[in-house]
Amino acid sequence: MKGTEMFSLEGKTALVTGAAYGIGFAIAEAFAAAGAKIAFNCRSREHMEKALEDYAAKGIDAKGYLCDVTDEKQVQEMVADIEKEVGVIDILVNNAGIIKRIPMTEMKAEEFREVIDIDLNAPFIVSKAVLPGMIKKGHGKIINVCSMMSELGRETVSAYAAAKGGLKMLTKNIASEYGEYNIQCNGIGPGYIATPQTAPLREKQPDGSRHPFDQFIVSKTPQARWGTPEDLMGPAVFLASGASDFVNGHILYVDGGILAYIGKQP
């Protein structure tokens, strides 16, 4: 492969979980631009129909599937349907996830379990479902959307940090266990990304000043800004393409340098 050919996803089938909007949508859009056929899931028909409209507006013929990725039977049925209707999955992005910002002493055990179920158990379930097809084809790419919380702790996110730390190690273990089948499993660790979900944290205050959390994040980021979903497009295509065929078990942090930075002296 030469030049940009190594980044081509032409003819590949990609499943991006939770790709109705935000980071997952941006990654799917990037894959489509590189030539991949796109499948995604939603738990809600309403969200899926809106996402299909958004994909169509971008000129992307994506296939949406109603599926709860924490339900192993539903996942197996979805993967079987994708194989029949789109193609055997070459690329999986485990993107679906939630966060509950609750102090640990106030968090109920069932709330903790819900985060673990979606953010850690689901990537195990979906990866398990696609691995046989990848083994049979003799190649495959699994990308787990990790987090800076795969490395750091922070107030109110005990469940999320536990799940994302576990996802980092699941990534390494899939690479260890299935590398011999020419399957690469890597992670992307986004920094703080400007999405609709984080918009309230970036709103101007009544006096015109920046939100305190906005100030905090910008001060901790060497590039002095929030990331955008578009910042994840290139790294995702790299990890999905032949350009990363000897990269395995790696977590690529796309965080503007936060993890490398101790911060300015007060």
Side-chain angles (χ1 to χ4, degrees):
M1 292 185 291
K2 296 181 179 180
T4 58
E5 290 179 10
M6 68 180 68
F7 297 98
S8 173
L9 303 181
E10 196 66 41
K12 304 292 186 182
T13 297
L15 168 60
V16 185
T17 68
Y21 53 84
I23 289 172
F25 186 94
I27 289 174
E29 182 183 352
F31 286 176
K37 297 173 287 184
I38 304 301
F40 70 98
N41 82 292
C42 283
R43 291 193 294 181
S44 158
R45 182 171 294 279
E46 180 184 356
H47 287 162
M48 186 176 74
E49 290 176 353
K50 174 64 167 63
L52 288 171
E53 291 176 3
D54 292 340
Y55 279 112
K58 296 277 189 178
I60 300 169
D61 182 22
K63 301 293 185 184
Y65 296 85
L66 279 175
C67 178
D68 178 349
V69 287
T70 68
D71 185 313
E72 189 165 15
K73 185 174 185 295
Q74 287 187 36
V75 168
Q76 290 171 343
E77 291 173 351
M78 175 181 68
V79 169
D81 287 343
I82 292 170
E83 290 180 352
K84 291 175 187 175
E85 298 168 7
V86 186
V88 177
I89 295 164
D90 300 284
I91 304 158
L92 166 65
V93 180
N94 284 308
N95 166 74
I98 63 168
I99 186 169
K100 290 182 181 290
R101 296 180 176 89
I102 305 170
M104 184 172 169
T105 55
E106 298 173 18
M107 177 174 261
K108 298 176 182 178
E110 55 264 36
E111 292 173 321
F112 187 92
R113 291 190 188 102
E114 183 184 3
V115 175
I116 297 295
D117 205 23
I118 295 173
D119 293 5
L120 180 56
N121 291 342
F124 163 78
I125 290 168
V126 185
S127 297
K128 177 184 172 184
V130 305
L131 277 165
M134 291 180 173
I135 291 170
K136 188 173 182 179
K137 291 186 82 166
H139 65 82
K141 302 280 187 174
I142 297 176
I143 302 169
N144 292 325
V145 178
C146 297
S147 166
M148 291 191 305
M149 297 302 112
S150 297
E151 301 289 342
L152 301 172
R154 204 179 153 268
E155 298 84 353
T156 76
V157 294
S158 58
Y160 185 79
K164 293 300 186 177
L167 186 57
K168 174 183 73 172
M169 293 312 301
L170 178 62
T171 300
K172 292 176 180 290
N173 205 81
I174 293 173
S176 301
E177 195 164 353
Y178 295 100
E180 65 178 294
Y181 299 100
N182 192 30
I183 294 169
Q184 292 82 51
C185 182
N186 294 289
I188 287 182
Y192 283 90
I193 306 298
T195 65
Q197 289 75 20
T198 60
L201 300 174
R202 290 175 282 107
E203 288 179 349
K204 292 287 186 182
Q205 301 300 284
D207 64 0
S209 65
R210 298 170 80 164
H211 190 289
F213 193 80
D214 184 11
Q215 295 180 44
F216 169 70
I217 292 305
V218 170
S219 72
K220 290 293 185 182
T221 306
Q223 287 184 235
R225 68 172 176 86
W226 288 64
T228 67
E230 289 73 21
D231 286 321
L232 298 163
M233 287 178 159
V237 169
F238 165 66
L239 291 177
S241 71
S244 62
D245 279 352
F246 204 57
V247 179
N248 214 356
H250 177 72
I251 313 300
L252 175 55
Y253 290 101
V254 186
D255 65 356
I258 290 179
L259 287 173
Y261 187 44
I262 195 171
K264 292 181 180 179
Q265 181 178 339

